[in-house]
Amino acid sequence: MDTPAFQTWLSQGLTEPSVKKIHIEENLPKDAFPLAGTVSHHLLAGRYIDGWFKALSKAREVETFFILSPSHYGLSTQEWSLCECSWNAGKYGLVHTDAVTERELSKSLGVEYDKNAFRIEHGFSTLMPYIAKYFPNAKVCAVALNGEPPLKQNLAQALTDALAPHFTKEKSKKNFLLISTDFSHHGNKEETLNKDSSSRKFFNAPSAEGWFFCVCDNRQGMYAMANIFCKETGENFGGQKKCSVLYHTNSFELSGEGGDDITSYFFTFMY
């Protein structure tokens, strides 16, 4: 089988931008075992993507990252795009697909592989050097999807149903659900604050219904995370989950530029 190796910013010789230093908002409790979380896919926030993966590596091991990312460029030919491929993480080597699990997801979702959707998809490629750096033996299951509103609940539920068997209490000891997402887009400071205040309602009190508060580019991913881990009853994780916000910032705060076109970032862990 053809298993292409896609480029990342590190393999292309790029570096993390120099940005403003911000403080950690809330560390994970020492005894917390994170099950899932949100992380930006903008390299502008690379310093804090690094900090998020570093914090995760101190809390637990991960064998397989299940990464849900928006399909940004309209390259997906199906409702969900999957592919058995690798990513070139530069000096850290290759990050490989968990081939067996990716095939299981493809069968569960009823889709064929769609490798063209991954060639220039920064929702994955931005993250791969950090995975290779902090989790050098980990593999990934990558799913590109339509994350923008309006959310089609039947599709979001189908994705949730396909993922849920991989996140039983036992399997969550080796698997991690990573929601690759950025939050408020294209607003000024006031608009960004208002949208982020809505998103924070979910992080302050995660619930199966609370995904709706999240103003982000991956609402289908947020739906899946909330409904896998936060349902009051179910086979997986019945009851309330907690969430810590490691960092909260935005593109204007980090760069000092684009005050009328701001993207915001929540780096979080659900445990």
Side-chain angles (χ1 to χ4, degrees):
M1 179 182 289
D2 178 26
T3 55
F6 299 124
Q7 298 299 312
T8 68
W9 58 273
L10 194 56
S11 66
Q12 294 173 319
L14 301 177
T15 58
E16 295 171 351
S18 178
V19 296
K20 178 182 176 181
K21 183 177 180 180
I22 63 169
H23 296 293
I24 289 174
E25 181 172 321
E26 180 185 6
N27 281 308
L28 268 170
K30 289 184 178 180
D31 61 346
F33 188 84
L35 304 164
T38 64
V39 65
S40 169
H41 45 241
H42 283 187
L43 188 57
L44 174 66
R47 177 175 186 171
Y48 302 102
I49 301 173
D50 186 280
W52 185 90
F53 276 102
K54 184 177 181 179
L56 180 62
S57 71
K58 291 180 177 179
R60 60 167 292 180
E61 296 289 332
V62 177
E63 292 185 18
T64 301
F65 284 95
F66 287 68
I67 307 177
L68 308 183
S69 169
S71 186
H72 284 93
Y73 305 110
L75 299 178
S76 292
T77 60
Q78 302 168 95
E79 296 292 352
W80 304 279
S81 292
L82 292 85
C83 179
E84 184 179 341
C85 55
S86 299
W87 286 265
N88 184 342
K91 63 183 179 181
Y92 299 116
L94 293 176
V95 179
H96 298 287
T97 297
D98 181 335
V100 172
T101 309
E102 192 85 350
R103 285 195 292 270
E104 290 175 0
L105 278 180
S106 175
K107 183 177 180 180
S108 296
L109 292 169
V111 295
E112 302 294 329
Y113 282 171
D114 189 13
K115 67 181 180 181
N116 287 332
F118 292 82
R119 292 187 183 279
I120 56 172
E121 182 48 71
H122 64 278
F124 303 109
S125 65
T126 299
L127 307 182
M128 295 303 171
Y130 303 103
I131 290 176
K133 178 180 179 180
Y134 289 106
F135 298 89
N137 298 315
K139 295 184 177 181
V140 301
C141 286
V143 182
L145 47 81
N146 177 19
E148 298 287 350
L151 178 135
K152 296 181 179 179
Q153 190 163 352
N154 62 319
L155 297 180
Q157 188 60 52
L159 176 63
T160 300
D161 292 342
L163 290 169
H166 302 281
F167 291 97
T168 62
K169 290 183 179 180
E170 184 63 30
K171 290 186 177 180
S172 286
K173 294 176 182 178
K174 64 177 183 177
N175 297 333
F176 186 90
L177 183 59
L178 193 164
I179 309 302
S180 174
T181 185
D182 296 307
F183 286 78
S184 175
H185 288 66
H186 307 307
N188 57 31
K189 288 196 291 185
E190 182 179 358
E191 291 166 335
T192 302
L193 177 62
N194 288 338
K195 292 177 181 178
D196 283 0
S197 295
S198 177
S199 297
R200 194 175 282 275
K201 292 179 182 179
F202 173 75
F203 298 125
N204 286 345
S207 68
E209 299 80 18
W211 65 269
F212 187 82
F213 290 116
C214 294
V215 184
C216 67
D217 61 3
N218 195 346
R219 286 165 66 82
Q220 190 174 165
M222 297 303 295
Y223 178 99
M225 183 171 71
N227 279 272
I228 288 171
F229 295 111
C230 299
K231 277 192 175 295
E232 291 302 317
T233 59
E235 296 180 1
N236 289 20
F237 292 91
Q240 189 73 40
K241 283 290 166 286
K242 296 180 180 179
C243 185
S244 66
V245 177
L246 185 68
Y247 305 112
H248 173 225
T249 186
N250 61 63
S251 58
F252 181 63
E253 181 179 26
L254 293 181
S255 70
E257 299 178 359
D260 59 350
D261 187 17
I262 299 172
T263 302
S264 64
Y265 313 117
F266 281 96
F267 294 84
T268 72
F269 295 111
M270 184 172 292
Y271 61 97

